[in-house]
Structure formats: structure tokens, C-alpha cells
């Protein structure tokens, strides 16, 4: 039994931004960006909202619109979703949640919804918690059946995990250390609990304190004062707040390479598998050099890793879901294959899950 991925989708905004275009607004160049990151272009949302991107990825994952991947024939009814989890840092509104907005857009009338704030680990945290909840629900239902009563908790058999990001709105477009890295987009999977099949074989999530503030973004609303502070004569905007994403690149790089290895090894060990059992690694795409580092450490050729950062940049929690989708659509992952998804990011968060397709 297990949580099986039965659909996958992605959505990218229309506008492509090249490295040369960035070189026109900050002191950088294609020659610096490509060898340092592997990024050639990224997609930036001009008109698309987070909800537009998330809903499009979700509808593709459900097979309601073309361009997604379905495990079995036939579209999935949005009304059959019990839960929508949306990992995001850039919801269009504080509330309702981004997940609730996507629910409304796709007609998932029976789904309970919430957002998840775990930065670039959103893909792994989203899939892992969906799996935990479905396993808990299955246990609850089994207990209820044995006792001849109804379940005591929400019945969750089908979950949409949809990570949607417009990082272009968090980025300081005057900061060359970050603005070259990020892109906008969404990735989605539909997971279903199956009694007779395996899906998520294992998962591992971890957090560590970011005491040195290596990856940070203040909430814009914290700039507002209440009228109650001593000496405050009215509601004023605080001017000491930085509304942009900040990153200590080298420190994060160090954390990322270690987390990538640690989490992959832990998730594989939990699944009782080794590196050799993995058909394709679909990691978070923060920097191609981080993926190359992992490939070298594992003594594997780069072909065993799905690399999409060249054309999408870093799309935070959506990155690895987009990578998984592209691998599925390209036929690099087929029924019965094993994928390993590892991610790391602000929090500091990190994790990995092993997926049987
Ligand atoms: O998804 C969330 C997790 N994020 C990550 O995992 C990102 C991890 N970090 C990285 O990928 C890399 O640290 C970066 C790509 C962000 C930076 O690469 P780096 O090789 O670590 O560069 P650096 O920060 O050590 O900077 C080297 C030099 C500096 O100049 P000086 O001080 O040596 O004169 C920077 O000012 O490169 C300069 N620099 C740039 N130059 C041209 C930094 N950004 C740029 C730029 N263009 N865009």
C-alpha cells in the first residue's frame, strides 16, 4: 500500500528572460552566470499570478487540460480531491490561502486546503506530508472498520500538491547576487492512496536553525507599526525593514551540498534501497554545480539527474516538481521506475523522498 503519483503537471509564465537582459540592468554577464550556475534563461511572470500558474499546473496534473502526465488513462475529477497543499513563498493574498484560491479556480469543491511555508523544500515537504496524512487516514479507516464505526478523522485518499511561485516579486532586481538565480512557475502532482500498490517508498524531512540568516526574507507587513508603541503618534511605516530576499551564497552553497547528500542517503536507507536502484534523481534546482557535486560524490554520470535549471532557473519549491514532470513527459521515468527527489532551502529546511512511479 502507499501514496502513488497518478498525475503530474507544470506551468511556466510566457516571458523568457535571458542572461544578457539581466546584464543590461545589473553588473553581470552570460559569461559569469552560466559557468557559476548553469542558468541560461528563466521565465518571469508579467501577467500571470501565482493562482494562474498553480491552477494551470494542477489542471494538467489532473488531465483536465493537455500537457501533463497521467499514470492511467482518463482525466481526474477535481471534485475527487480531498486535500490541496500549496507550498509557496509568494501567495497572491495572505488569505485566503493560495491553495484555497487554486481550489476555487479548478473546482475542487470537496478539498480542504492550506499553504506550506518551507521555501525550496516545498516539493519534498508537500509530498511527504501528503503521504503521512493519507497513511494516517488509512490507519483511521482500518480502525473504524474493525470497530464497526465511522472514521474519526477526515478521509484523505487523493491529494493535490501544487507548488506555485512568483519569486520575481521577492527578488531585489538591483542585487546581482540573487536576481540572476530565480524564476517563476508551478509544479503539481496528484497522489492517491492505493491498498495494492507502492508509491512514496520513504521520506525524510529535517530543519536546522538559520541563526546566521543565510536565507532570509522579512514579511512586508512587519513594516507597519500599531498606534500603541510608546512615542508613536500614529501608524507609521518602519523604514528599517528589508522587503527583499537575501542570501549568503557561499554559506548556503555549503549547507546545500551537505544537505543534498545527507538527505538522499537517509531517504534511500529508509526505503532499503541504494543509489544504484534509483532510475533518475529529480533534485531541487538551485545551482547546476550543486547537482554536479552530488553526481561526483555518488560517482554517477550527470545523465542520472534531471537538470532543468538551464531554462527555468531556481523556482523554489516548484523546481523539483517541474523536474519530475519534465522527466515523466520525456519518458525518462516509467511505471515501476524509482525517482529520488531531494531539496533544501530557507528555514533551513531539507529533505528527500523516494518515489516508485
Ligand atoms: O534554493 C535556495 C538555495 N540556494 C542555493 O543553494 C544557492 C547556493 N549558492 C550559490 O549557488 C552560489 O553561491 C551563487 C551562484 C549564489 C554565487 O556563486 P559563488 O561562486 O559562490 O560567488 P560568490 O558569492 O563567492 O561571489 C564571487 C564574486 C564576488 O565578487 P568579488 O567579491 O570576488 O569581487 C561577487 O560580488 O562574484 C561576484 N558576483 C557576481 N559577479 C557577476 C556575485 N554575483 C554576481 C553576478 N555577476 N551575478
Amino acid at each position: 500500500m502507499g501514496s502513488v503519483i497518478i498525475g503530474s503537471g507544470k506551468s511556466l509564465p510566457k516571458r523568457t528572460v535571458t542572461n544578457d537582459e539581466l546584464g543590461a540592468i545589473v553588473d553581470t554577464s552570460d559569461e559569469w552566470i552560466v559557468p557559476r550556475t548553469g542558468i541560461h534563461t528563466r521565465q518571469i511572470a508579467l501577467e500571470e499570478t501565482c493562482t494562474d500558474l498553480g491552477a494551470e499546473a494542477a489542471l494538467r496534473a489532473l488531465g483536465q487540460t493537455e500537457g501533463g502526465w497521467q499514470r492511467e488513462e482518463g482525466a481526474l475529477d477535481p471534485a475527487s480531491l480531498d486535500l490541496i497543499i500549496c507550498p509557496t513563498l509568494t501567495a497572491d493574498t495572505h488569505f485566503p490561502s493560495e491553495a484555497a484560491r487554486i481550489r476555487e479556480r479548478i473546482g475542487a469543491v470537496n478539498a480542504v486546503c492550506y499553504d506550506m511555508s518551507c521555501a525550496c523544500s516545498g516539493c519534498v515537504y508537500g509530498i511527504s506530508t501528503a503521504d503521512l496524512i493519507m497513511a494516517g487516514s488509512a490507519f483511521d479507516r482500518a480502525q473504524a472498520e474493525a470497530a464497526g464505526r465511522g472514521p474519526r478523522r477526515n478521509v484523505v485518499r487523493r491529494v493535490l500538491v501544487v507548488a506555485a511561485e512568483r519569486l520575481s516579486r521577492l527578488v531585489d532586481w538591483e542585487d546581482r547576487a540573487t536576481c540572476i538565480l530565480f524564476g517563476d512557475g508551478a509544479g503539481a502532482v496528484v497522489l492517491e492512496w492505493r491498498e495494492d500498490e507502492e508509491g512514496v517508498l520513504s521520506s525524510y524531512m529535517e530543519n536546522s536553525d538559520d541563526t546566521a540568516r543565510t536565507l532570509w526574507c522579512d514579511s512586508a507587513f512587519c513594516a507597519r507599526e500599531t498606534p500603541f508603541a510608546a512615542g508613536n503618534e500614529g501608524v507609521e511605516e518602519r523604514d528599517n525593514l528589508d522587503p527583499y530576499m537575501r542570501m549568503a551564497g557561499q554559506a548556503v552553497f555549503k549547507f546545500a551540498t551537505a544537505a543534498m547528500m545527507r538527505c538522499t542517503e537517509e531517504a534511500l536507507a529508509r526505503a532499503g534501497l541504494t543509489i544504484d536502484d534509483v532510475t533518475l534523481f529529480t533534485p531541487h534546482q538551485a545551482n547546476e554545480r550543486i547537482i554536479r557535486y552530488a553526481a561526483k560524490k555518488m560517482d554517477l554520470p550527470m545523465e542520472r539527474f534531471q537538470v532543468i535549471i538551464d531554462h527555468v532557473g531556481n523556482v523554489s519549491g516548484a523546481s523539483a516538481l517541474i523536474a519530475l514532470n519534465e522527466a515523466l513527459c520525456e519518458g525518462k521515468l516509467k511505471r515501476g521506475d524509482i525517482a529520488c527527489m531531494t531539496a533544501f532551502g530557507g528555514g533551513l529546511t531539507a529533505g528527500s523522498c523516494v518515489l516508485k512511479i
Side-chain angles (χ1 to χ4, degrees):
M1 65 182 76
S3 310
V4 179
I5 293 180
I6 57 170
S8 153
K10 72 164 184 184
S11 170
L12 294 171
K14 288 187 209 72
R15 176 70 154 87
T16 304
V17 173
T18 65
N19 292 340
D20 287 341
E21 283 183 274
L22 292 172
I25 57 171
V26 288
D27 183 14
T28 192
S29 63
D30 190 57
E31 290 69 35
W32 193 93
I33 297 171
V34 173
R36 281 292 221 295
T37 68
I39 302 169
H40 292 259
T41 58
R42 72 286 292 143
Q43 304 301 120
I44 298 294
L46 302 185
E47 285 146 25
E48 300 92 343
T49 63
C50 218
T51 310
D52 293 335
L53 296 167
E56 185 170 52
L59 289 171
R60 286 182 174 151
L62 289 161
Q64 291 288 331
T65 54
E66 300 229 320
W69 173 89
Q70 268 68 50
R71 192 169 190 266
E72 288 122 18
E73 292 246 323
L76 306 165
D77 182 359
S80 67
L81 293 170
D82 300 309
L83 172 66
I84 300 177
I85 301 174
C86 181
T88 184
L89 299 171
T90 54
D92 293 329
T93 46
H94 278 300
F95 57 86
S97 66
E98 194 52 63
R101 289 167 62 98
I102 293 169
R103 173 196 198 267
E104 183 183 348
R105 189 74 76 78
I106 68 173
V109 291
N110 296 306
V112 172
C113 310
Y114 54 84
D115 291 355
M116 196 179 240
S117 173
C118 46
C120 303
S121 304
C123 48
V124 170
Y125 276 43
I127 289 175
S128 303
T129 52
D131 175 52
L132 279 169
I133 290 168
M134 283 198 284
S137 174
F139 177 73
D140 187 47
R141 278 179 279 131
Q143 278 199 320
E145 199 181 316
R149 55 166 172 77
R152 291 192 167 148
R153 298 163 181 89
N154 281 25
V155 172
V156 184
R157 285 199 198 90
R158 198 176 263 187
V159 182
L160 170 70
V161 176
V162 51
E165 291 292 7
R166 279 203 307 170
L167 294 161
S168 57
R169 301 309 197 273
L170 282 190
V171 156
D172 176 358
W173 288 100
E174 293 180 355
D175 176 12
R176 67 177 182 174
T178 51
C179 76
I180 57 142
L181 295 171
F182 297 95
D184 299 330
V189 284
V190 180
L191 293 138
E192 181 170 82
W193 185 260
R194 300 258 169 108
E195 291 296 333
D196 53 351
E197 287 191 273
E198 288 184 305
V200 179
L201 298 182
S202 70
S203 66
Y204 169 69
M205 295 180 277
E206 62 168 42
N207 257 79
S208 49
D209 297 335
D210 191 7
T211 38
R213 290 193 169 212
T214 55
L215 258 174
W216 204 272
C217 185
D218 287 319
S219 287
F221 73 82
C222 290
R224 302 209 190 112
E225 279 293 2
T226 66
F228 309 110
N232 190 8
E233 286 162 15
V235 180
E236 289 170 9
E237 294 285 315
R238 269 166 52 190
D239 55 9
N240 62 346
L241 201 114
D242 179 358
Y244 298 114
M245 166 197 316
R246 299 294 173 204
M247 183 174 74
Q250 285 198 4
V252 176
F253 193 92
K254 222 171 141 190
F255 155 71
T257 45
M260 179 97 166
M261 296 309 301
R262 186 174 62 246
C263 296
T264 301
E265 280 163 14
E266 181 62 33
L268 283 171
R270 287 182 180 193
L273 298 176
T274 68
I275 286 165
D276 295 335
D277 297 312
V278 178
T279 317
L280 192 71
F281 292 86
T282 57
H284 171 48
Q285 314 273 316
N287 187 326
E288 195 188 275
R289 279 194 291 143
I290 295 172
I291 302 174
R292 285 194 182 281
Y293 172 91
K296 201 169 164 207
K297 277 264 171 194
M298 293 186 213
D299 199 19
L300 291 175
M302 278 298 277
E303 291 70 49
R304 296 275 296 281
F305 293 78
Q306 183 73 0
V307 179
I308 61 161
I309 192 167
D310 57 324
H311 59 281
V312 298
N314 180 345
V315 197
S316 189
S319 277
L321 291 173
I322 298 171
L324 178 71
N325 176 262
E326 294 196 2
L328 290 165
C329 291
E330 288 165 15
K332 288 187 192 167
L333 284 171
K334 301 186 191 67
R335 284 275 288 266
D337 285 347
I338 305 289
C340 180
M341 183 184 284
T342 304
F344 44 82
L348 297 165
T349 56
S352 182
C353 48
V354 180
L355 312 165
K356 187 164 183 180
I357 303 301

